[in-house]
Amino acid sequence: MSDESTPRDASGERETDCELVGIVAVADNGIIGKDGEMPWHLPEDLAHFKETTMDHPVVMGRVTYEGILEALGEPLPGRTTVVVTSRDLETPENAVVANDLEAALERAETAARERHDGADRIFIAGGASVYEQFLSALDRLIVTEIHDEPAGDTSFPDWNRAEFREVDRDEHDGFAFVEYVRSG
Ligand SMILES: NC(=O)c1ccc[n+]([C@@H]2O[C@H](COP(=O)([O-])OP(=O)(O)OC[C@H]3O[C@@H](n4cnc5c(N)ncnc54)[C@H](OP(=O)(O)O)[C@@H]3O)[C@@H](O)[C@H]2O)c1
């Protein structure tokens, strides 16, 4: 994608004061999704996602948003969901629509300030298309590494691990919670 459409301005400065944090669960073979859902059932990961993102803005693509609506019957409780879409969607009170990445960051910053008591993180929660477009702007990446190779139709985009350093790893049975911070 072109430089103009990444969420940084021409001088390379990010257009938000919040830390941009990617959060994803990814299998050893790179798979993150299957038929619009996650290809595993891992309650510990759902609890980790909830605890990490609670009371923050969470940016996601329309397909991921619709998957959550189908599963929960509502957007993520306790958070503001910023849905990136070219469509004119009607959303409940705790979700807002953004038609491009810049608008998504602007809406997320407004929500951080006005609805989440000045939260200093914006979470980028997928899916693949949204991760890909925000990758170059992420300050931090919180990854649940799933030690499995499931079938699926959606993969996490290639990312340059040399640009990040691992700062935390919490191994569990079959998966690990890992945190990476941009190093340069
Ligand atoms: N394992 C994980 O942690 C994780 C996390 C999230 C999602 N997932 C999985 O990932 C899969 C979905 O990923 P996906 O890549 O297919 O879909 P997605 O990123 O969730 O949504 C894609 C949609 O977002 C909108 N969009 C993206 N970039 C845009 C832009 N710059 N401007 C305007 N609209 C934009 C478009 O919506 P319109 O078509 O409405 O314009 C596009 O069709 C699912 O299987 C889901 O379960 C996994």
Side-chain angles (χ1 to χ4, degrees), residues 1 23-26 31-40 45 60-65 84-87 98-101 125-131 133 153-154:
M1 94 176 289
I23 184 161
V24 63
V26 57
I31 289 291
I32 63 165
K34 183 177 185 238
D35 301 329
E37 300 176 354
M38 291 204 264
W40 45 76
D45 180 51
M60 66 183 71
R62 193 256 313 158
V63 173
T64 298
Y65 172 69
V84 189
T85 177
S86 59
R87 304 181 186 185
N99 293 135
D100 58 41
L101 304 188
S129 76
V130 168
Y131 290 133
Q133 295 172 78
D153 52 31
T154 312

Side-chain angles (χ1 to χ4, degrees), residues 42-45 47-48 51 143-147 168-178:
L42 197 54
E44 294 99 322
D45 180 51
H48 173 257
E51 188 190 346
V143 184
T144 305
E145 294 181 356
I146 312 274
H147 302 321
D168 193 42
R169 173 173 290 269
D170 182 11
E171 284 287 350
H172 293 256
D173 185 17
F175 65 93
F177 296 128
V178 190

Side-chain angles (χ1 to χ4, degrees), residues 23-141:
I23 184 161
V24 63
V26 57
D28 288 343
N29 59 357
I31 289 291
I32 63 165
K34 183 177 185 238
D35 301 329
E37 300 176 354
M38 291 204 264
W40 45 76
H41 177 66
L42 197 54
E44 294 99 322
D45 180 51
L46 299 179
H48 173 257
F49 177 86
K50 182 176 180 180
E51 188 190 346
T52 306
T53 59
M54 187 51 73
D55 213 9
H56 288 81
V58 180
V59 177
M60 66 183 71
R62 193 256 313 158
V63 173
T64 298
Y65 172 69
E66 287 181 348
I68 288 172
L69 281 190
E70 213 171 293
L72 300 184
E74 58 173 345
L76 299 169
R79 287 143 282 187
T80 301
T81 299
V82 179
V83 188
V84 189
T85 177
S86 59
R87 304 181 186 185
D88 187 20
L89 292 184
E90 293 233 347
T91 53
E93 207 242 330
N94 61 341
V96 292
V97 162
N99 293 135
D100 58 41
L101 304 188
E102 286 75 14
L105 284 188
E106 200 182 296
R107 306 241 190 303
E109 279 229 302
T110 302
R113 211 170 41 241
E114 296 178 1
R115 301 169 80 160
H116 300 295
D117 202 21
D120 58 3
R121 284 182 164 188
I122 293 169
F123 287 95
I124 306 300
S129 76
V130 168
Y131 290 133
E132 182 158 26
Q133 295 172 78
F134 274 107
L135 254 183
S136 66
L138 294 183
D139 299 300
R140 187 180 295 266
L141 197 46

